[in-house]
Amino acid sequence: MELLYTDSRIVVCIKPAGVLSTDEPGGMPELLRRMLGEGKDGCVRVVHRLDRPVGGVMVYARSRMADSLLSGQVQRRELEKEYLAVVEGRLPEKAGLLEDWLQRDRRTRTTAAVSRPGPEARPAALRYETLAEETGRSLVRIRLLTGRTHQIRAQFSSRGYPLCGDRKYGAKTGGDIALWSYRIAFTHPQTGERMAFSALPPDGAPWNDFSEQLHRL
């Protein structure tokens, strides 16, 4: 795990794929407390989440005040989150806005796009841009406008473009889910400075097939 920035209020890091982002045994807060040399009761608070199979850039709060202020930015959509993904197929439009009503099935732990609003359906929106196409797959850059569970996975899958490796949402390809938290931007909870951090996905399939495009970012 790599630390990108830390001070008395926040820590910005790269979450490895396969690690819980929440404060549970073996989760990121526990690992960060160890890396920062704090005891088991050290203050590392969850501000936003990533699905367990997904890696990339995250920010955690190191004080109650920082947690409150950063969480407020999340609620007001002032904490910007951008992702990289490789999807199966070629999207009909090179860039666009995806809007859906998403409904969570707690039994199957999946999210589905539904045709109309309801008591369990919530609005979801994202913008995407296709960066490259290669052998029936597309590298896309995504900016989340809302933060629903499995939102990116469900929105692309519902249109017939599941993320590579995402068998839960209909992918035909195996391997790890090709989704990466590429960039976050937020206002520092103490200094008021606007900060941004980014990191490219690790080496490996299917990212290596788009190395040239990724290193232009």
Side-chain angles (χ1 to χ4, degrees):
M1 182 172 60
E2 181 181 354
L3 299 186
L4 301 180
Y5 176 87
T6 184
D7 61 25
S8 62
R9 299 300 181 191
I10 63 171
V11 55
V12 182
C13 60
I14 298 178
K15 181 187 96 66
V19 177
L20 288 166
S21 63
T22 49
D23 201 354
E24 301 172 57
M28 287 295 294
E30 180 181 286
L31 300 179
L32 286 168
R33 291 182 190 109
R34 278 191 218 152
M35 281 194 80
L36 296 167
E38 298 186 0
K40 64 180 181 179
D41 297 322
C43 188
V44 176
R45 292 174 173 240
V46 178
V47 174
H48 62 116
R49 301 184 180 193
L50 278 181
D51 295 344
R52 185 171 191 163
V54 179
V57 185
M58 295 191 71
V59 59
Y60 286 84
R62 297 189 68 188
S63 73
R64 184 176 298 177
M65 178 199 75
D67 180 21
S68 176
L69 293 174
L70 287 171
S71 295
Q73 292 182 46
V74 172
Q75 292 169 5
R76 296 188 300 272
R77 303 180 187 175
E78 295 169 359
L79 192 152
E80 299 174 17
K81 294 183 278 187
E82 294 185 20
Y83 293 77
L84 294 169
V86 180
V87 303
E88 295 182 353
R90 297 189 175 189
L91 295 157
E93 303 291 336
K94 295 293 184 182
L97 170 69
L98 303 187
E99 294 181 289
D100 292 290
W101 291 94
L102 295 184
Q103 184 167 303
R104 185 75 176 155
D105 187 326
R106 299 185 186 281
R107 182 180 58 84
T108 62
R109 296 184 178 182
T110 58
T111 298
V114 294
S115 59
R116 64 185 67 184
E120 298 296 326
R122 305 179 71 187
L126 62 81
R127 292 192 179 277
Y128 76 89
E129 173 191 7
T130 300
L131 302 178
E133 297 172 342
E134 180 74 31
T135 60
R137 298 171 298 173
S138 302
L139 173 68
V140 293
R141 183 172 180 171
I142 299 155
R143 179 167 179 181
L144 277 184
L145 303 179
T146 57
R148 310 304 182 202
T149 302
H150 292 187
Q151 177 179 333
I152 294 171
R153 300 164 66 182
Q155 286 197 272
F156 280 94
S157 174
S158 70
R159 290 163 172 81
Y161 306 99
L163 276 60
C164 290
D166 196 359
R167 293 294 185 91
K168 193 168 193 173
Y169 284 90
K172 297 176 182 177
T173 52
D176 296 332
I177 297 174
L179 181 61
W180 180 259
S181 175
Y182 162 64
R183 179 182 179 274
I184 60 171
F186 55 89
T187 300
H188 192 285
Q190 184 172 39
T191 68
E193 176 188 359
R194 193 67 181 168
M195 309 182 79
F197 299 89
S198 62
L200 294 177
D203 290 338
W207 305 109
N208 287 354
D209 293 333
F210 299 95
S211 295
E212 183 178 342
Q213 294 82 7
L214 289 170
H215 285 93
R216 289 178 189 165
L217 295 174

